[in-house]
Amino acid sequence: MQNNDHRSNRHRSLLWGLIGLLLVLVLFSANLGALKLSITHLISKPFDDPLWNIWLNVRMPRIMLAVIVGMALASSGVVMQGLFRNPLADSGLLGISSGASLMVGLSILFPTVFPPIMMLYGKMVAAFTGSLFICLLIYVYSLNAQCNLAKMVLLGVAINAIIGAIMGCLSYIGDEIQLRQISLWSMGNLGKGSWDLVLVAVSLIIPALFCVFKLSHELNILQLGDEDAHYLGINVQRIKRYLLLLCAVLIGTSVAVSGIIAFVGLVVPHMIRLQVGANHRWLLPASTLGGACLLLLADTFARTLVAPTEIPVGLFTSLIGGPYFLWLILKHK
């Protein structure tokens, strides 16, 4: 009992530490950019000064978008790894992000598919449809008795290859503006951040995160295996379908507002799991905060290292996650 209390106190301290780190990173990021804008400098300016407008309507929406997308990607990574009981399960590796990106690409080339009233949510609907389809495909394949880690990764490679070829065709037939949009989407970019986009992302991601957190106990039980979970009173198939639906919402919304940002859902859960273990009661919230911190830090560096130009944040996270993934493969050989 005393060990459990000590462990819980340590985990709570980690959560508060991540909250504090996120607040520090928000302030740090708000002060950095191509245009030097510190909060102390802005306080001395009248509120109608153009610098206030840049800070409030350009920089802060991007920061908030990085936070909410990082939360969605990291939490979806935890759910995918718990759902498939596979430490290497990830939306990017399994092709789920690619499925969402393909539908977004189609919506860019054929915008009239969606009625005008849905223009704000059009890309979200498209990305959700693509991610849900790939989620269901992987889920059905995972029910196969011969399914294993190697085959699942190969399935993801095949899905990514096929969708990559289709995206190449879309880029070939699109005009220059559409080609530019598709290119930015495929590399991951938060430069389009606005309060409208943040509001849309929050309206979908926060409810999905709330539902995921409520299912942390069921995720723990699923780690025992489907048969044991059934005997413990869990409706296994219903819970799995529900979790897949929530993953599709989280991944689809993230891809719709920021494009493909790889490895956040793979790197963060592993880093947090080393500290809190496999209990999803702690792993989910800690990974959610860790994802927000990592993506915000990556985006801050991406837009400041070579200012006034920017590095697409998806390329930046791949530079971090690629070597980490290679280390995981070599470690578990």
Side-chain angles (χ1 to χ4, degrees), residues 84-85 137-149 151-152 155 226 240:
F84 295 109
R85 297 193 295 275
L137 178 64
I138 293 170
Y139 171 64
V140 171
Y141 181 73
S142 70
L143 298 177
N144 189 337
Q146 296 181 346
C147 177
N148 55 39
L149 171 60
K151 289 184 177 180
M152 191 171 291
L155 176 64
D226 291 355
K240 284 187 173 182

Side-chain angles (χ1 to χ4, degrees), residues 229-248:
H230 174 72
Y231 288 135
L232 289 172
I234 298 297
N235 188 330
V236 175
Q237 299 307 317
R238 183 174 65 85
I239 292 297
K240 284 187 173 182
R241 287 194 296 267
Y242 194 26
L243 288 170
L244 279 174
L245 182 65
L246 292 171
C247 276

Side-chain angles (χ1 to χ4, degrees), residues 52 58 69-70 94 118 124 145-146 154 180 206 210 221 318:
W52 271 110
V58 176
V69 169
L94 298 180
M118 287 184 60
M124 275 70 172
Q146 296 181 346
L154 288 175
R180 178 67 176 171
I206 295 300
F210 177 76
I221 295 179
S318 295

Side-chain angles (χ1 to χ4, degrees), residues 2 14 45 100 106 132 153 157 161-162 181 187 194 200 205 209 226-228 273 286 298 318 324:
Q2 192 172 12
L14 176 64
K45 299 284 185 180
L106 290 173
L132 180 60
V153 172
V157 171
I162 294 169
Q181 286 182 291
M187 292 186 288
S194 66
V200 171
I205 289 175
L209 285 176
D226 291 355
E227 187 175 351
D228 289 341
R273 194 177 283 109
S318 295
Y324 186 82

